[in-house]
Amino acid sequence: MDITALLLSRIQFAFTITFHIIFPSFTIGLAAWLTVLEALSFATGRPVYRGIFEFWLKIFGVAFGMGVVSGIVMAFQFGTNWSVLSRMSGPIQGPLLMYETFWAFMLEASFFGVLIFGRSRVPPWFYLFSTAMVALGTTFSAFFIMANNSWMQVPTGYVLENGVFAPNDWTKILFNSVVWSRFPHMLLAAYLTGAFCVAATGAWYMLRKIYHAEARIMLRMGLGLAAVLMPIQLFFGHLNGIYVNTYQPSKMAAIEGRWNDEQPGSEVLFAWPDVKNRRNLFAITLPSPFGSLIDSDSLTAKETGLNSIPPENWPPVVIPFFAFRLMVGCGLLMLGLAWFGSYLSYRHRLAYNRPLLWLTFLSFPLPFVAIITGWFTAEVGRQPWVVYGVLRTADAMTPFLTARQATISLVIFCAVYAFIFLFGTFYIYRLIRTGPARKQFGVPHLAVPNRPMSLADEELIEEPSHLVAGE
């Protein structure tokens, strides 16, 4: 086995999944937001909701396309770099990925076509139904991906036959107990991503003093949704910690920077793990039993330290340790911002608080950072296992892959992904800068060249958005 090829393959997979996850996490939340907007437009008939919907639909389309393109590579990598994993886990991972593609993705993509081309061709109720189906498709997609990854985290419902993981109970695979903490955690993260991106866009328009009506709706709804969802997200994050502590003690020990067994355990808030000497430098620690209370919901539970685990089964300690703290830090910042912003919105003071508007505008990277660092915690913390406890990452790599081949593919992927990201992000920026399009006036169907004043039909004139907003 070529150690360099293994390292490059891991870097390549980490790079592509980190890049790819940005777009599904954004579009899942945005699809739910579009459903809410279309429902409000359908129920109230207010044109402002329709305008915001059409605006975010364009952004959704661009992000959806970038997610599709960046996701195609994921499947090919299993065959090119991880052929042993593909052969051994194919009977389980293959059907799960197939369900995600041919059920969830096709549902999402089919009804997305209705959103793009069908506004004037289908009844309003069916257009609303199509919007909901797109959101449902993104949810199903997240479920199957999380079911697949959860099986790799906590493998169950299989038997090992002739060197292959053969499923013997699909209910245990699909409804693995850890799925029901990890799937909602990921889904809520996507909703929060959409909420903060919407709120940040509204704050930007407020700061520029344009699109007041649309900006106020984006800002209030985005922060309000985040204020409700963040405490729920923290709860499901705690449930994820319990499953990690139960099934993956080495990951939990690395996350906590815990070197020795403790009963009850203390809690390291911050430190610099010195792996070579098996200690923490500059540690800020809460005394016991805070560690046991946080990790095990107990005041007396024993917490496992890395020194009681063979070093060959340790994950890279530094990455999950700091990634976890970045994730939690981003979550707490979002919680504080959402609650304070929602309070000011309730008091009708949010639009006049420019420092908070700036903070809201600058907050849009926070959910993306939280998601990426959360995945780093989960995936790097799982090492050295690709299927936890039964298949090591080093044994899952394509055996004849060379470092030269891995380098070439890594460079190509980095170049192509950078090109896609730069142009896609620039186009989304242009769409946001242009803002929600609102026609200055409508053209009556009876207007004719020899009756120019027919354009002045009062009922068909629509005021510009800046006049409607009172600017």
Side-chain angles (χ1 to χ4, degrees):
M1 180 189 67
D2 191 330
I3 299 297
T4 305
L6 173 63
L7 176 62
L8 291 171
S9 294
R10 292 178 62 185
I11 293 173
Q12 177 179 298
F13 200 89
F15 171 79
T16 52
I17 192 65
T18 299
F19 182 94
H20 173 68
I21 200 174
I22 293 173
F23 303 107
S25 61
F26 179 52
T27 54
I28 290 170
L30 203 54
W33 162 248
L34 290 173
T35 304
V36 172
L37 287 174
E38 184 62 20
L40 290 171
S41 177
F42 182 81
T44 66
R46 292 182 60 191
V48 66
Y49 293 122
R50 169 79 174 271
I52 298 174
F53 176 92
E54 299 295 342
F55 166 68
W56 283 103
L57 180 62
K58 296 175 185 177
I59 297 173
F60 177 87
V62 176
F64 178 78
M66 294 173 69
V68 171
V69 173
S70 62
I72 290 174
V73 176
M74 307 304 299
F76 289 109
Q77 281 188 111
F78 283 109
T80 57
N81 295 60
W82 306 99
S83 61
V84 176
L85 172 65
S86 299
R87 178 182 62 81
M88 294 187 65
S89 65
I92 293 175
Q93 291 190 296
L96 291 174
L97 295 176
M98 181 194 69
Y99 295 148
E100 191 272 335
T101 301
F102 291 102
W103 183 9
F105 177 75
M106 293 305 293
L107 176 68
E108 178 184 359
S110 299
F111 281 99
F112 179 60
V114 177
L115 300 192
I116 296 295
F117 303 110
R119 171 70 81 174
S120 61
R121 294 176 172 84
V122 299
W125 68 265
F126 189 80
Y127 195 85
L128 173 59
F129 174 77
S130 300
T131 310
M133 288 300 100
V134 171
L136 184 63
T138 61
T139 303
F140 280 147
S141 180
F143 172 77
F144 285 116
I145 293 299
M146 293 307 300
N148 181 46
N149 186 266
S150 295
W151 180 82
M152 298 171 72
Q153 298 281 352
V154 183
T156 185
Y158 75 96
V159 292
L160 191 61
E161 294 181 353
N162 301 319
V164 173
F165 300 115
N168 67 350
D169 191 340
W170 275 105
T171 59
K172 290 183 179 180
I173 296 172
L174 281 173
F175 306 111
N176 188 337
S177 60
V178 303
V179 173
W180 299 112
S181 59
R182 301 186 76 240
F183 167 59
H185 192 54
M186 182 64 216
L187 196 62
L188 289 168
Y191 290 163
L192 288 165
T193 301
F196 270 93
C197 287
V198 168
T201 304
W204 190 46
Y205 290 151
M206 282 283 190
L207 291 166
R208 296 177 64 199
K209 298 182 180 180
I210 57 176
Y211 304 113
H212 285 187
E214 292 87 346
R216 190 173 291 109
I217 291 174
M218 294 181 200
L219 193 57
R220 295 183 67 176
M221 292 183 67
L223 290 178
L225 178 63
V228 173
L229 293 184
M230 270 308 307
I232 305 174
Q233 176 71 321
L234 294 175
F235 171 72
F236 276 102
H238 176 65
L239 295 182
N240 271 266
I242 292 177
Y243 107 75
V244 170
N245 199 42
T246 302
Y247 296 103
Q248 300 176 335
S250 60
K251 180 192 291 187
M252 180 56 74
I255 290 172
E256 297 291 5
R258 184 177 291 119
W259 298 99
N260 299 306
D261 292 353
E262 298 180 11
Q263 188 174 10
S266 59
E267 179 70 18
V268 177
L269 295 179
F270 184 81
W272 184 271
D274 181 2
V275 180
K276 181 179 180 180
N277 296 307
R278 303 189 181 192
R279 60 178 180 172
N280 292 326
L281 304 177
F282 318 112
I284 301 174
T285 305
L286 295 177
S288 58
F290 280 101
S292 296
L293 183 62
I294 293 172
D295 296 344
S296 304
D297 286 340
S298 170
L299 295 175
T300 59
K302 180 180 179 180
E303 306 301 330
T304 303
L306 286 166
N307 286 330
S308 63
I309 300 170
E312 62 270 18
N313 291 338
W314 288 9
V317 176
V318 173
I319 295 177
F321 181 85
F322 285 111
F324 176 78
R325 279 150 184 79
L326 278 173
M327 177 188 67
V328 173
C330 289
L332 294 177
L333 286 174
M334 289 188 287
L335 176 66
L337 186 60
W339 278 7
F340 187 52
S342 297
Y343 169 75
L344 291 182
S345 177
Y346 174 75
R347 299 296 298 269
H348 303 287
R349 291 160 48 191
L350 180 58
Y352 308 103
N353 192 313
R354 290 185 66 84
L356 186 64
L357 290 177
W358 273 109
L359 287 175
T360 304
F361 167 60
L362 296 173
S363 70
F364 74 90
L366 289 178
F368 294 107
V369 174
I371 287 175
I372 291 172
T373 52
W375 273 99
F376 282 1
T377 303
E379 298 305 296
V380 177
R382 182 181 60 189
Q383 300 304 314
W385 308 97
V386 65
V387 180
Y388 193 83
V390 292
L391 178 61
R392 288 182 176 271
T393 305
D395 298 330
M397 190 187 75
T398 301
F400 51 82
L401 185 68
T402 65
R404 180 175 180 274
Q405 293 169 331
T407 302
I408 292 173
S409 63
L410 176 60
V411 170
I412 292 174
F413 286 149
C414 289
V416 173
Y417 275 37
F419 179 84
I420 295 171
F421 181 80
L422 288 175
F423 276 85
T425 303
F426 177 73
Y427 188 62
I428 290 176
Y429 165 75
R430 290 292 299 271
L431 289 173
I432 293 176
R433 187 174 181 83
T434 301
R438 300 185 68 181
K439 295 180 181 179
Q440 187 168 349
F441 54 81
V443 180
H445 70 282
L446 296 178
V448 291
N450 62 349
R451 293 182 61 245
M453 294 303 294
S454 61
L455 290 174
D457 188 335
E458 289 185 355
E459 295 181 356
L460 294 172
I461 293 178
E462 183 179 349
E463 293 182 275
S465 61
H466 66 280
L467 296 179
V468 173
E471 180 177 334

